[in-house]
Amino acid sequence: TGLAAEGCTQCVAGTYKETVGSSACTVCKAGTYSDEGGASSSSTCMSCEAGTYSATVGADVSSTCMSCKAGTCSDEVGAYSDSTCMSCVAGTYSTAVGATECTSCEAGTFSATVGAFSSSTCKSCLAGTYSAVVGANTSSTCKSCLTGTYSDTVGANSSSMCTSCLAGTYSTTVGAGSPSTCTSCLTDTYSVTVGADSNSTCLSCPSNSVSMK
């Protein structure tokens, strides 16, 4: 058996023997380890945790389980090859070794980098644009603010961050990144329209009045 009897040598750590007799001890398979000497069951071979792997057969310490590198992740328990460490897809990243999942770029950002190991690869949408998409992998997810609005916020994550031009002004610019794109109505004209996208909203003052500037 796995335990030593008179004249028998117990199985060393990293191996086990489930039967009596003179047959050899069986080694724990790659992706597992056992620090127990004299083991009599394969159940003593513990699987490497998710995020790690081991190519060592007959491993006797948990340190043989190597961590997947940053920029990769693995949810496989008992992995025996670094091929199970999958690169983080575009739009995600992993800063830690031994990650079991990658972190998505926040809304308002995007990343086209595969295997990213830093959140700095998540680039912010430019002023005048926004994105509500989590884990975006292309800048095309950054949608432009409509005419009559603007946003001076970098990394905006909602269309609500596009601010309407004030009454008395208008903007024909798509994706405006500054309130300066809101143009004032001409002298002696006025507009009560908020978020106007054309100077057609600027109406002439009545004959007995002038516009306030």
Side-chain angles (χ1 to χ4, degrees):
T1 66
L3 295 174
E6 186 177 353
C8 299
T9 302
Q10 72 174 16
C11 294
V12 298
T15 67
Y16 63 93
K17 187 167 182 285
E18 297 179 325
T19 60
V20 297
S22 59
S23 58
C25 300
T26 303
V27 295
C28 292
K29 64 182 181 180
T32 68
Y33 66 93
S34 174
D35 58 6
E36 185 176 330
S40 59
S41 172
S42 60
S43 63
T44 58
C45 300
M46 307 299 293
S47 295
C48 292
E49 296 179 348
T52 68
Y53 65 93
S54 174
T56 304
V57 176
D60 57 5
V61 288
S62 60
S63 60
T64 56
C65 300
M66 307 297 292
S67 295
C68 294
K69 64 181 181 180
T72 68
C73 69
S74 173
D75 60 2
E76 185 172 333
V77 175
Y80 56 84
S81 169
D82 62 358
S83 63
T84 59
C85 301
M86 306 301 294
S87 295
C88 294
V89 298
T92 67
Y93 63 93
S94 171
T95 59
V97 297
T100 58
E101 61 182 2
C102 299
T103 303
S104 296
C105 292
E106 296 179 348
T109 67
F110 66 92
S111 173
T113 303
V114 175
F117 52 84
S118 171
S119 60
S120 64
T121 57
C122 301
K123 304 301 182 184
S124 296
C125 293
L126 299 177
T129 67
Y130 65 91
S131 174
V133 178
V134 175
N137 58 14
T138 174
S139 61
S140 64
T141 57
C142 300
K143 304 301 183 184
S144 296
C145 293
L146 300 176
T147 54
T149 68
Y150 68 91
S151 174
D152 53 9
T153 301
V154 175
N157 59 14
S158 171
S159 60
S160 65
M161 302 185 78
C162 299
T163 303
S164 295
C165 292
L166 299 175
T169 67
Y170 65 92
S171 174
T172 60
T173 303
V174 176
S178 168
S180 64
T181 57
C182 299
T183 304
S184 297
C185 292
L186 297 176
T187 303
D188 291 336
T189 65
Y190 72 98
S191 173
V192 296
T193 303
V194 176
D197 59 4
S198 169
N199 63 0
S200 63
T201 59
C202 299
L203 306 176
S204 296
C205 293
S207 57
N208 61 346
S209 63
V210 295
S211 62
M212 301 292 293
K213 294 294 184 183

